[in-house]
Amino acid sequence: MKKTDWKYHYTKKCTTAKRAIQLIESSQTIFLAPMCNEPQELVEELIRQRARLQEILLYTIVLGSPCKYADLSCQPHFTIRTFLNSSLLKKAHQNNHCDYIPMNFSDIPRWIKEEKIDVALIQVSEPNAEGFCNLGLSVDVVQTLIKEATVVIAEVNSHLPCTSGETLVHVSQIDYFVPSDRPLLTIPNSPPANEDIAIGNYVAALVPDYATIQVGVGKLAGSIVRSLRSKVGLGVHSGSISDDIMELINLGVITNERKEINRHKTVCTTLTGTNALYEFCHHNESVELYPVSYTHNAAVISKISDFYSINSALEISLSGQINAEQVEDSYVVGGVGGQMDFIHGSKLSPGGRAIIALPSTAKNGTESRIKVHTKYVTSLKSEIDYVVTEYGVAKLFGKSLRERAESLIAIAHPKFRAALTEQYKQFV
């Protein structure tokens, strides 16, 4: 296609959501653009046409999604496969219409290349003067999807910001376009609990000036970021960035001035925040979005000195095994996500550290998150440098099993310390 021909071909490819979804047939596999870039107009039309569809396999990464395809009325028609879980998928899990794929985010592009994806439903901006659309809120695995899926249907959302990095997709790479002006999916800030603030302060004490950070998502992550306001010259190379990261950029705390790669650039693969964040990133060349094959690549992260990965967990054993996915025998409530990707990167980074931060208790204070042992393991005890709760910091690197247990019991909630000590004695 010649550059001057793109407008003609774009017009020919434009259609309605109804006609685009009519191209989908029973027994096909569909991959939805992840996170807040999930195309809502196309998803809702897919749901409207569910009666004619059987045995649809629906792949998704649901953070930020309303998960309308998990409704009871959809379950006879769609089987969901998710790389990251949500409470909105609980009933679908219980009814065996949803299953979880434990996979590091960095591996998903390789998995896509090895699987057969019939249809990719994505979201893009309106094309620019050269015929390039922008992926806007999230790059993640979509560039790979566009190359590998048999059919690519794009919802063209007029509200989508034009972001920098590897965000451009030419009109020629997409099979069908569906114009839309739907409000974008957002993830609002949640007010932190007192323990979140305490945890944030302890984490901040571990992070030096000019370090490059990666932080997870959620209210604890937000509290940790806000606790870094007194730092100087921080860099960011993360899976996602939030409104709290935007505020640190505006305050001059995040400058990315010492990063050996992407200097003066805040790097992520997805935006997980509000419209204020989206507007901030619109045509903002200081924020760049890249595929997970770059952002979550330990070999890339190894080029950045003093890289601090800061992630959370559901529970941790006294040996330091990290569980970020599932408790007891309930359905999976979290996911592998990028935790191990960034932990591996931190281990290869000169001066890098891996931090796990979590509240000391669960279930309204009735259960300790620090346990003698945990049934499910997401990250290994040999990979973690520090564990932080609202009661302090436990340094695990270089410590024996007994020393680890003593340090972790010391940062457990006081009402559980005696029981943990007795249980540990019986265990060893």
Side-chain angles (χ1 to χ4, degrees):
M1 181 188 298
K2 296 180 181 179
K3 287 186 178 180
T4 54
D5 292 340
W6 75 261
K7 291 183 180 179
Y8 169 76
H9 289 283
Y10 173 72
T11 303
K12 281 193 67 177
K13 292 179 178 182
C14 281
T15 186
T16 63
K18 182 177 181 179
R19 290 175 180 173
I21 297 301
Q22 283 175 343
L23 298 168
I24 296 173
E25 301 175 355
S26 293
S27 302
Q28 287 190 320
T29 58
I30 301 172
F31 203 121
L32 302 180
M35 314 288 190
C36 293
N37 230 13
E38 189 177 277
Q40 293 305 289
E41 190 79 24
L42 294 175
V43 166
E44 290 177 8
E45 183 58 38
L46 179 68
I47 292 169
R48 279 191 288 270
Q49 295 190 31
R50 65 187 181 278
R52 68 175 186 82
L53 298 169
Q54 305 298 325
E55 298 182 347
I56 291 290
L57 201 54
L58 198 62
Y59 290 99
T60 183
I61 304 173
V62 297
L63 182 66
S65 169
C67 298
K68 295 177 181 177
Y69 37 76
D71 187 80
L72 187 63
S73 64
C74 297
Q75 291 178 16
H77 310 281
F78 308 144
T79 299
I80 302 164
R81 294 286 184 270
T82 184
F83 296 90
L84 192 65
N85 241 314
S86 165
S87 60
L88 298 174
L89 298 178
K90 182 175 182 179
K91 289 184 179 179
H93 271 283
Q94 292 171 338
N95 293 333
N96 295 320
H97 285 284
C98 183
D99 204 359
Y100 160 65
I101 303 173
M103 185 178 293
N104 294 325
F105 272 9
S106 62
D107 285 330
I108 298 177
R110 176 166 65 92
W111 176 86
I112 290 172
K113 292 176 182 179
E114 294 177 0
E115 293 294 314
K116 182 180 183 296
I117 304 298
D118 295 305
V119 181
L121 300 182
I122 68 172
Q123 183 170 237
V124 298
S125 73
E126 296 170 333
N128 64 16
E130 288 76 40
F132 285 94
C133 300
N134 196 293
L135 293 176
L137 304 183
S138 194
V139 177
D140 41 73
V141 300
V142 177
Q143 294 283 19
T144 303
L145 271 178
I146 290 169
K147 293 175 183 176
E148 300 296 331
T150 304
V151 176
V152 181
I153 303 173
E155 183 171 327
V156 185
N157 195 317
S158 60
H159 298 295
L160 207 66
C162 291
T163 50
S164 301
E166 293 185 17
T167 54
L168 297 181
V169 180
H170 196 265
V171 163
S172 60
Q173 296 177 268
I174 296 172
D175 298 296
Y176 300 95
F177 294 93
V178 176
S180 168
D181 62 353
R182 291 288 297 268
L184 299 172
L185 294 173
T186 60
I187 300 177
N189 283 331
S190 300
N194 290 334
E195 59 263 29
D196 298 328
I197 295 171
I199 291 168
N201 290 332
Y202 280 120
V203 171
L206 296 172
V207 177
D209 292 339
Y210 303 106
T212 293
I213 61 168
Q214 169 268 323
V215 184
V217 296
K219 68 172 185 173
L220 175 55
S223 184
I224 290 169
V225 172
R226 288 191 290 275
S227 297
L228 299 171
R229 290 181 179 179
S230 64
K231 299 297 175 179
V232 176
L234 293 182
V236 172
H237 181 107
S238 193
S240 65
I241 64 170
S242 63
D243 288 49
D244 296 303
I245 293 288
M246 174 185 68
E247 290 178 12
L248 291 193
I249 295 172
N250 286 332
L251 289 170
V253 174
I254 292 173
T255 63
N256 298 286
E257 63 190 81
R258 297 269 182 103
K259 287 166 65 178
E260 290 87 344
I261 58 174
N262 305 112
R263 183 161 290 182
H264 303 299
K265 307 289 186 181
T266 292
V267 169
C268 66
T269 195
T270 189
L271 307 180
T272 52
T274 68
N275 285 313
L277 175 66
Y278 303 161
E279 292 169 10
F280 174 79
C281 294
H282 182 55
H283 291 303
N284 185 345
E285 294 184 357
S286 72
V287 179
E288 294 185 336
L289 278 68
Y290 291 94
V292 294
S293 55
Y294 183 83
T295 57
H296 291 59
N297 188 327
V300 172
I301 297 169
S302 72
K303 299 175 184 178
I304 305 172
S305 299
D306 300 317
F307 180 84
Y308 277 63
S309 69
I310 307 167
N311 292 284
S312 191
L314 297 174
E315 58 187 22
I316 179 172
S317 76
L318 290 180
S319 68
Q321 300 281 60
I322 305 299
N323 172 19
E325 298 166 82
Q326 184 172 359
V327 291
E328 300 171 348
D329 292 317
S330 65
Y331 77 106
V332 178
V333 297
V336 172
Q339 184 173 116
M340 280 305 299
D341 291 326
F342 289 116
I343 290 173
H344 285 154
S346 73
K347 306 305 284 186
L348 295 173
S349 162
R353 298 290 185 271
I355 299 171
I356 295 293
L358 73 167
S360 64
T361 62
K363 298 182 179 178
N364 296 316
T366 62
E367 184 175 321
S368 177
R369 291 181 184 268
I370 297 175
K371 301 182 180 294
V372 175
H373 56 83
T374 177
K375 183 176 179 180
Y376 304 98
V377 177
T378 305
S379 301
L380 299 177
K381 59 182 179 291
S382 57
E383 305 287 338
I384 309 303
D385 292 295
Y386 298 101
V387 174
V388 180
T389 72
E390 69 271 30
Y391 291 101
V393 178
K395 182 180 179 181
L396 301 191
F397 181 71
K399 301 299 183 181
S400 70
L401 290 175
R402 185 176 299 278
E403 289 171 326
R404 286 165 174 252
E406 291 172 352
S407 295
L408 287 166
I409 290 171
I411 64 168
H413 193 287
K415 68 181 178 182
F416 293 110
R417 291 175 190 173
L420 284 169
T421 300
E422 289 303 310
Q423 291 168 21
Y424 179 71
K425 289 178 180 178
Q426 296 173 15
F427 180 71
V428 297

